[in-house]
Amino acid sequence: MRRATAFAPATVSNVAVGFDILGFPVESVGDFVTVSIIEEPEVRVAEVVDLTGTLEESDIPADPARNTATVGLLKLREDLRLGYGFEVGLRKGIAVGSGMGGSAASAVAALTAANALLERPLTKETLFEYALLCEQASSGTAHPDNAAPCIFGGFTLIASMKPFRRVRLPVPEGVVVVLVRPRCRVETRRARGMLKAEVPLASHVRQSALLAGFVAGCYTNDLELVRQSFRDVLIEPQRAPLIPAFTEVRAAALEEGAIGASISGSGPAVFAWTTSNETAERVRAAMVSAFDEHGRVQADSWVSPVGAEGAKVVE
């Protein structure tokens, strides 16, 4: 083959209690990247199509050394000493600055498509390393909680980076996620930069207990334990002011029966776990309405299984 197209899903990272170590992919929304082999020994961006209706001219750099869909391909070409290059077409389905893992999805989709064209395809573990280079270029930090679930799929816990070790966590029976993105932006660099470098010991202990309870609840299918543990006492309070009407949106989700709700990634997207598709639809409507009524902002929304499939070649 000389051309392949891959889809990489949006992801919810942090998952309230697991800053930089928990994440899962979401169905129905993501980025498509088409990679073609070209004779010239280079990587170039041929086309960017905005499927979100939100992109500005400067959002997606044409320079392959700055574009998250191509940074990993540049290094891959260099490492494999390929005698040919890649031309990349990007169909952006994840809004920039949405908190839905858009930079990871562009990178993973491009790497997945290019990998399908190699004579000896690389493992997903190797592709993950290249995807982290893209995250570093995008946000200044090679955080793995978007890239890992985007590549491997499933509800993912990053247990260690060196050596890299991930654990696929079980999802309690019947859990459905609602993801709602207000039509505004939060830049990842800014959201990370505002976080305090140190936290009080009592807060650390409390957050550790919540994370342990959350993971234990997933393994034991104990929804009540998951519900009690679904709170972020470290990161969410610092980032909530960046999101219009976050408090009201979260409250609306809980009032309609959500197990819990929190910020997706750096925001402004907000997600909730629910116990059924019927509850999910009520929670979705309530969250969208709260953004409109209290935040004066329109919002897009999706309902999906937790821990859906990761990136895949579609053409």
Side-chain angles (χ1 to χ4, degrees), residues 68 103-104 107 130-143 146-147:
T68 55
S103 60
Y130 288 109
L132 288 183
L133 296 177
C134 303
E135 290 287 72
Q136 178 73 43
S138 172
S139 65
T141 305
H143 48 89
N146 289 116

Side-chain angles (χ1 to χ4, degrees), residues 128 144 157-166:
F128 171 72
L157 165 68
I158 307 299
S160 171
M161 281 300 296
K162 293 184 179 179
F164 174 64
R165 184 175 182 182
R166 62 184 172 87

Side-chain angles (χ1 to χ4, degrees), residues 5-8 29-34 51 89-93 105-106 109-110 314:
T5 299
F7 169 80
V29 57
D31 288 353
F32 292 86
V33 176
T34 298
L51 302 179
L90 171 61
R91 284 181 284 163
K92 194 71 182 158
S106 293
V314 295

